[in-house]
Amino acid sequence: MEVRRITINIAGRVYPLNVPAAEEETLRKVGKQIENMIKDFEQNFDVRDKQDALAMCALKLGTNAEVLSLSNERNIKSSTARLSKINQTLDEIGK
């Protein structure tokens, strides 16, 4: 697996990272999203410093991740129930 050395700039700080080549684009994209979120929070809310903006980013990203996780969990349960029903129907047809 190829590893690349990249730098990501977040909130005015540079973070050097060693990442698998396959993850480079994703990390750069996430870094840009975080930078955009920080700018948005600074422009639209009473943000005193970068740490406040980063805390707000963490809350927003954590909330989004939890909502997505719950949604995926519901989808899995629903799909499992439907597949079970299909299997049951196929078993009945096969008898």
Side-chain angles (χ1 to χ4, degrees):
M1 168 175 33
E2 181 186 355
V3 175
R4 293 192 180 158
R5 182 154 179 86
I6 66 170
T7 56
I8 303 291
N9 187 327
I10 297 175
R13 290 190 182 182
V14 176
Y15 297 92
L17 303 167
N18 293 319
V19 301
E23 294 179 17
E24 179 181 0
E25 185 179 338
T26 301
L27 286 166
R28 290 188 186 281
K29 185 177 178 181
V30 170
K32 283 188 180 222
Q33 287 175 339
I34 292 170
E35 275 295 301
N36 289 336
M37 288 173 68
I38 289 170
K39 287 177 188 173
D40 184 53
F41 285 130
E42 288 175 333
Q43 291 172 355
N44 297 309
F45 299 97
D46 184 26
V47 177
R48 297 181 192 151
D49 60 19
K50 296 287 184 188
Q51 186 170 345
D52 290 341
L54 285 169
M56 292 172 77
C57 286
L59 284 170
K60 184 172 183 174
L61 291 171
T63 300
N64 290 349
E66 185 63 22
V67 166
L68 184 60
S69 176
L70 291 172
S71 176
N72 286 342
E73 196 175 302
R74 282 191 294 270
N75 287 340
I76 289 169
K77 286 180 182 178
S78 174
S79 296
T80 301
R82 282 186 268 161
L83 286 172
S84 179
K85 214 172 205 177
I86 290 169
N87 280 335
Q88 183 181 6
T89 303
L90 289 172
D91 285 345
E92 290 171 3
I93 291 172
K95 288 183 181 179

